[in-house]
Amino acid sequence: MTYAFFDFDGTITTGDSFMPFLRHQLGPGKFALKILQLSPVLAAYGLKLMANQRAKEKVLEATVKGQMEMEILRAAEEFFPQLKLLPAGLAKLKEEQAAGRRCVLVSASPELFLRTWADKLGFQQVIATRLEIANGLLTGKLASANCYGPEKVRRIEEELGAGAWTDSCGYGDSRADLPMLRRCGQGFLRRGTEFTALNNQA
């Protein structure tokens, strides 16, 4: 079994999907109010004064805490047509599917709604940040470490084994994807609208 690992935001999509999804799920007015309330958190994260995982939990606590798991899944289904998909990313996904590799979506975004989108795009597996759910309701906490940076490498090896890197390909768009891409047999980083092999990077 050979694998192709894909980041999601900026690799399969043109940009972030997390906040646009929350805007859809909450409605524009409520979302705008929540973002205003979260401005100190977002500012602290932007200034690197708050860790990625803590900032994400703060956002989740303010936006989805207490909501039913089925509500989120229904909203994810509704939101799929609004995703701004990246043609170059979709082309690479189709290439790897045609080559017979097992295509795995590896993302810091919540697995809960990514699963719906991954199924529609033809991914065979999702490795992403897990949300804590109690009695069918989201708690606003993470049930796993944020699947970001080196955590992507750890999760892949935990779920697929260290041998998963053999003859694998990986696709990403940011520095946070580099730990994963560098472990792959061949890693590709998005530059503009195309993907370039890492060994060709300056």
Side-chain angles (χ1 to χ4, degrees), residues 2-8 10-12 88-89 91-93 95-97 99 101-107 123 152-153 156 160 164-174 176-191 194-201:
T2 58
Y3 294 91
F5 301 108
F6 287 82
D7 171 55
F8 190 66
T11 301
I12 295 297
K92 291 298 182 184
L93 174 59
E95 284 178 20
E96 298 297 355
Q97 289 168 335
R101 287 195 172 91
R102 183 174 179 85
C103 295
V104 183
L105 189 61
V106 188
S107 174
F123 282 97
K152 290 189 174 187
V153 172
I156 288 169
L160 302 176
W165 304 112
T166 304
D167 297 325
S168 65
C169 290
Y171 299 86
D173 74 300
S174 71
D177 296 318
L178 290 177
M180 176 180 76
L181 300 182
R182 286 173 174 153
R183 293 299 299 274
C184 292
Q186 181 63 73
F188 297 88
L189 190 67
R190 176 187 168 189
R191 299 188 69 175
E194 299 299 329
F195 290 87
T196 304
L198 280 181
N199 58 11
N200 292 332
Q201 296 294 308

Side-chain angles (χ1 to χ4, degrees), residues 113-127:
F113 54 79
L114 278 181
R115 282 200 309 265
T116 296
W117 305 340
D119 287 346
K120 291 180 179 297
L121 291 167
F123 282 97
Q124 289 140 307
Q125 190 167 346
V126 178
I127 296 175

Side-chain angles (χ1 to χ4, degrees), residues 58-125:
K58 287 285 190 183
V59 171
L60 292 167
E61 287 171 1
T63 56
V64 301
K65 182 179 179 180
Q67 294 193 33
M68 295 177 62
E69 178 181 6
M70 292 307 299
E71 281 184 83
I72 301 297
L73 291 173
R74 183 166 54 249
E77 183 82 24
E78 294 170 352
F79 186 70
F80 179 74
Q82 298 180 43
L83 282 175
K84 295 180 179 178
L85 300 173
L86 180 71
L90 291 179
K92 291 298 182 184
L93 174 59
K94 288 177 182 176
E95 284 178 20
E96 298 297 355
Q97 289 168 335
R101 287 195 172 91
R102 183 174 179 85
C103 295
V104 183
L105 189 61
V106 188
S107 174
S109 288
E111 179 185 317
L112 180 60
F113 54 79
L114 278 181
R115 282 200 309 265
T116 296
W117 305 340
D119 287 346
K120 291 180 179 297
L121 291 167
F123 282 97
Q124 289 140 307
Q125 190 167 346

